[in-house]
Amino acid sequence: MQKNHAFALSALLLAAGAAPLSSAEAAQVTLSFSNLSTANGPALSPFFVALHDGTFDAFDIGTTASAAIEAIAEMGNGAGLSSAFAASSAAAAGGTSTTVTAAVNAFGPGIFLPGAKGSVTLDLDPVKNRYLSYFAMVVPSNDRFVGNDSPTEIELFDAQGHFTGGTFVENGSSIWDAGSELDGTTGAAFLVGSNAADSPAQNGIIRANHDFAVYAGLGTPAGYNFTDLPGANTPLLQISAVSQVPVPAAAWLFGSVLPLFGWLRRRAPVSALPA
């Protein structure tokens, strides 16, 4: 009988350790975005960020850009992505989204100038918000953007609900060309003297493209000339995820059965549980 009690307790603890955290044990996570470009390098628009269960796939390489991707790539406008996310199964499953802007700098709030940083703190569910997707325009350009093609590329929690977080760095090779407008100064964002007319349509597909030669040396509204063009291996963006993780579900359950454990010890010795 005593062995049965000990076995039941061990099984209960093992089952709790294998179970993912529930929504009641959300972790407070701070997401920080930093433009790693050098002083005269590219800038980034505010980020549209989605925290989801791994099912929000906003774009695919080699396909025509959606209206939502076109809007973020041409204007830095995340409204279309916000609507697409709200209508997705990821949102229906409890996903959340937000916009992250840079701290106020000489150019004003919002845009991530070279060296700028911005952050947001969210209460995330380890199951419903397991993965991070992000999107921002890269300027000066007509239709360049950054974002993770695979919706499960950046994992914040593992399958057991434990926070993994960490730091992720993207280089120039991670810049995407939406293929919606031809490169050029006409209609390009973040250039001094650029007119509001649209660039000629490209009718292309989404592909990797870090060639910014057409914008080299041109002036920006931030007061510098765009001379530090990104190369394939040039650090561009850093994303960090830090959390004050709550006590795992197994630990809460262990506390709840301590009185039973003590009762068993009084009745008969119990083999030490693994750490």
Side-chain angles (χ1 to χ4, degrees):
M1 185 66 176
Q2 294 154 354
K3 290 183 179 179
N4 289 340
H5 279 301
F7 176 79
L9 176 60
S10 298
L12 190 61
L13 290 171
L14 288 173
L21 297 177
S22 70
S23 58
E25 293 151 358
Q28 189 174 78
V29 178
T30 297
L31 302 171
S32 298
F33 294 77
S34 302
N35 184 347
L36 299 180
S37 300
T38 51
N40 298 318
L44 304 168
S45 74
F47 285 81
F48 171 77
V49 176
L51 294 309
H52 55 90
D53 59 0
T55 60
F56 182 61
D57 191 3
F59 73 95
D60 292 301
I61 304 167
T63 65
T64 302
S66 65
I69 288 296
E70 186 174 335
I72 196 77
E74 293 183 7
M75 300 175 288
N77 187 340
L81 283 168
S82 180
S83 296
F85 181 74
S88 70
S89 60
T96 187
S97 66
T98 189
T99 298
V100 185
T101 60
V104 175
N105 49 45
F107 184 66
I111 194 165
F112 289 73
L113 294 177
K117 178 179 179 179
S119 63
V120 63
T121 299
L122 303 167
D123 289 330
L124 300 182
D125 184 291
V127 176
K128 299 173 183 177
N129 311 134
R130 182 178 175 184
Y131 298 98
L132 165 69
S133 292
Y134 68 92
F135 308 88
M137 184 180 187
V138 183
V139 292
S141 78
N142 294 88
D143 61 350
R144 304 292 177 86
F145 72 102
V146 288
N148 45 318
D149 168 48
S150 169
T152 59
E153 177 185 348
I154 300 180
E155 181 185 66
L156 301 181
F157 302 89
D158 65 19
Q160 284 70 48
H162 304 129
F163 179 75
T164 53
T167 299
F168 312 88
V169 175
E170 299 284 13
N171 296 330
S173 58
S174 299
I175 297 174
W176 305 108
D177 186 334
S180 54
E181 291 189 357
L182 291 172
D183 292 340
T185 57
T186 301
F190 206 61
L191 284 178
V192 173
S194 179
N195 59 50
D198 281 341
S199 174
Q202 186 176 2
N203 299 317
I205 58 175
I206 298 173
R207 62 188 180 91
N209 186 359
H210 62 271
D211 182 4
F212 283 73
V214 69
Y215 311 109
L218 300 179
T220 72
Y224 67 88
N225 291 336
F226 183 49
T227 55
D228 291 340
L229 280 60
N233 298 316
T234 303
L236 176 71
L237 168 67
Q238 177 176 292
I239 304 171
S240 67
V242 179
S243 176
Q244 296 295 326
V245 185
V247 179
W252 286 114
L253 180 57
F254 181 75
S256 70
V257 298
L258 280 178
L260 174 60
F261 184 72
W263 180 82
L264 287 171
R265 284 185 61 86
R266 287 192 298 270
R267 291 287 301 238
V270 179
S271 299
L273 293 173

